[in-house]
Amino acid sequence: MKQFACGDVVPGCARTFTAPDDDGVLAAVAVHARDDHGLAAVPAPLVAQVRASIRTAA
Ligand SMILES: [Zn+2]
């Protein structure tokens, strides 16, 4: 499983995500970014930051 903590990219956000792969994490992050951070779309540099912050969980 892959894990991502939004707080790694957006200071102060406590939301975390777990998905079977990077793309699953990114899909969930995109919804969260839209609903909770007001981002209509996740810009490419932010996607790169998210990918770099995704960790592999047991
Ligand atoms: Zn967040």
Side-chain angles (χ1 to χ4, degrees):
M1 295 293 277
K2 300 289 186 170
Q3 270 186 340
F4 169 70
C6 191
D8 288 352
V9 173
V10 182
C13 185
R15 186 75 181 274
T16 59
F17 303 90
T18 304
D21 54 32
D22 286 10
D23 287 342
V25 171
L26 283 167
V29 169
V31 173
H32 167 64
R34 187 191 64 209
D35 291 352
D36 295 331
H37 294 301
L39 289 173
V42 183
L46 187 53
V47 171
Q49 260 187 298
V50 171
R51 281 192 186 276
S53 301
I54 291 174
R55 302 176 214 288
T56 301

